[in-house]
Amino acid sequence: MRYRTVVGPSTFRFDGLRAVLGKAGPARSGDELAGVGAESDRERVAARAVLADVPLSVFLQELVVPYEDDEVTRLIVDGHDAVAFAPVAHLTVGGLRDWLLSYEATSEVLAAVSPGLTPEMVAAVSKLMRNQDLIQVGRKCRVVTRFRNTIGLPGRLSVRLQPNHPTDDPRGVAASIVDGLLFGCGDAVIGINPATDSIPAAIELLKLIDDVRGRYDIPTQSCVLTHVTNTLAAIERGAPVDLAFQSIAGTEAANRSFGIDLGLLAEANEATRSLRRGSVGENVMYFETGQGSALSAGAHHGVDQQTLEVRAYAVARAFDPLLVNTVVGFIGPEYLYDGKQIIRAGLEDHFCGKLLGVPMGCDVCYTNHAEADQDDMDNLLTLLGVAGCTFVMGIPGSDDIMLNYQSTSFHDALYVRSVLGLAPAPEFEAWMDRMDLLDERRRVRELAPGGAQLATFVGALELT
């Protein structure tokens, strides 16, 4: 279908919904690189005017990636819940925006409608929203998941403790784990990005985390972020696997570049659940995403990067994950050029994921060659905290010495919890209380050299 509108003295024509979506989005370097973004602000306004009047029902007929060519499209179309969609089926994209911002769209109502929304509908409405709109609606969306603790409850912000080490040295990893726990981090997951693809090394890291967790009866979960096939191999060898991890994308071809398909993810989900290691739930998948991944794999089908990112969330929700994490600035300035673009993308991703029913966290991060700095990350971290983000990263000194990028630190987690009155997952908070890590005002105790907290955990290093 061709779309047309007039803005001032100019007439704009768009060859299909895919073109409208690409040109309606905020300016970002990845879409410019792909040649799908607006060529001027006037064209962007024109595309948004067209998009606002597109009925939501059109997204069920005009597909941005062909059904016959892409299993992600087939997942989206075949899994669409017409009953859940019915309350909003009469709306346009602009009408959906207005409804989402209304008092009527409560947390309970949004959860009921969520299965009826396709990722393309959600991506479309996000392109019509200001940052404050994304925050307001994102805060209303609640997605609660469980494994050894409960993640996503109101008034809570979880933290992934990321104790990466450039050589996977057990003592270095263990030291970072202890450091993070003392700051109240690790309730989302203690998750290590391994330095190699070695299955035996991954198993040793899993055993290390499991030993620390078991020794102190910590109500959290572990994960080594290796390829899902390695996790399956580790399960076969009897490793203590809590969560299966995989990076995912929004097209079949992009996922194929990761060495995966939907069948393999289903196999991993089933195998990990069969271990029955959770104590309060059985959400066992951990997915990571990032705007620009499909373009970097040459698998974007001429679709803008944000729409494809939201399609990745449709993949995620099919497997009831415990955690989904947009690594928002990790791919680099070729896709998100500066702090402004990274902040906008982080808010988009959180809003879109939550609206689709995904337990959305964010790695508030940037690479050193991007036009961004830690002040930009402070801004995004604060905005995501206000928006009800499920979890963020906790990395020693905010500098990942293995992956070589800048993220958020244990201190950053303390900051955002403090200023917004947020707490860890309830089971993890109760554990901190038992371990005397909280003061009488429920704050993380200040650490003194040689203090009781350090003595409590020093044995963890002996495990290695």
Side-chain angles (χ1 to χ4, degrees), residues 77-421:
V77 173
D78 297 346
H80 182 250
D81 188 330
V83 174
F85 180 58
V88 295
H90 63 289
L91 296 176
T92 62
V93 176
L96 177 62
R97 174 191 175 275
D98 294 342
W99 179 78
L100 290 172
L101 292 166
S102 71
Y103 293 138
E104 177 187 348
T106 63
S107 297
E108 295 75 19
V109 169
L110 291 175
V113 168
S114 178
L117 299 176
T118 70
E120 291 84 357
M121 295 175 193
V122 172
V125 75
S126 75
K127 296 174 188 295
L128 303 183
M129 301 176 85
R130 295 170 56 186
N131 286 3
Q132 67 174 240
D133 300 338
L134 299 174
I135 293 168
Q136 182 175 343
V137 180
R139 186 174 180 85
K140 292 195 290 185
C141 297
R142 285 293 164 188
V143 182
V144 178
T145 57
R146 297 174 175 87
F147 188 75
R148 285 199 189 92
N149 56 29
T150 306
I151 296 172
L153 293 171
R156 307 279 175 172
L157 174 68
S158 294
V159 181
R160 171 187 160 193
L161 204 172
Q162 185 169 305
N164 293 347
H165 192 279
T167 63
D168 290 339
D169 177 72
R171 290 185 63 84
V173 170
S176 292
I177 291 174
V178 171
D179 190 16
L181 290 171
L182 291 170
F183 281 93
C185 297
D187 55 327
V189 63
I190 301 175
I192 303 172
N193 297 89
T196 72
D197 288 329
S198 167
I199 295 172
I203 292 174
E204 288 306 307
L205 290 172
L206 284 167
K207 289 179 178 178
L208 167 62
I209 307 173
D210 202 54
D211 285 345
V212 174
R213 185 194 61 77
R215 174 177 289 203
Y216 299 109
D217 194 26
I218 308 171
T220 189
Q221 35 283 330
S222 62
C223 186
V224 171
L225 282 70
T226 187
H227 193 271
V228 69
T229 53
N230 291 346
T231 300
L232 285 168
I235 291 173
E236 292 174 357
R237 299 184 192 186
V241 173
D242 288 343
L243 308 182
F245 165 81
Q246 184 55 50
S247 294
I248 57 173
T251 69
E252 178 181 347
N255 283 327
R256 196 182 306 123
S257 76
F258 293 153
I260 63 166
D261 58 24
L262 299 181
L264 182 59
L265 296 179
E267 180 184 352
N269 189 33
E270 181 179 354
T272 310
R273 284 193 176 194
S274 72
L275 301 179
R276 301 188 183 280
R277 290 175 55 83
S279 57
V280 298
E282 57 178 14
N283 300 112
V284 299
M285 300 300 287
Y286 176 16
F287 296 119
E288 285 192 350
T289 68
Q291 290 195 26
S293 57
L295 176 58
S296 67
H300 63 295
H301 294 271
V303 182
D304 69 277
Q305 65 185 41
Q306 194 245 339
T307 298
L308 293 181
E309 170 74 1
V310 186
R311 282 169 56 97
Y313 307 154
V315 174
R317 74 173 173 179
F319 300 101
D320 298 319
L322 180 75
L323 307 166
V324 178
N325 177 37
T326 171
V327 193
V328 66
F330 181 73
I331 302 181
E334 299 84 359
Y335 305 95
L336 294 170
Y337 179 72
D338 56 16
K340 181 179 178 65
Q341 292 188 11
I342 291 171
I343 289 170
R344 172 69 189 192
L347 295 176
E348 288 172 348
D349 293 352
H350 175 260
F351 159 81
C352 292
K354 282 288 187 63
L355 188 53
L356 282 177
V358 169
M360 205 72 205
C362 183
D363 191 343
V364 178
C365 65
Y366 65 101
T367 57
N368 286 319
H369 62 308
E371 291 295 322
D373 58 29
Q374 211 64 40
D375 287 338
D376 296 313
M377 300 307 104
D378 288 348
N379 293 341
L380 178 54
L381 175 64
T382 305
L383 294 173
L384 286 170
V386 174
C389 188
T390 300
F391 71 102
V392 294
M393 300 296 110
I395 297 174
S398 77
D399 183 6
D400 192 301
I401 58 175
M402 195 279 284
L403 292 174
N404 293 309
Y405 77 113
Q406 310 303 311
S407 185
T408 47
S409 69
F410 306 142
H411 296 81
D412 294 329
L414 282 186
Y415 149 74
V416 74
R417 282 173 173 169
S418 173
V419 298
L420 297 177

Side-chain angles (χ1 to χ4, degrees), residues 2-14 20 42-53:
R2 292 184 63 85
Y3 299 87
R4 175 183 176 278
T5 193
V6 177
V7 176
S10 304
T11 298
F12 293 91
R13 296 178 175 84
F14 305 99
V20 175
R42 180 171 288 181
E43 186 180 34
R44 183 171 294 107
V45 169
R48 289 177 180 174
V50 168
L51 186 61
D53 290 335

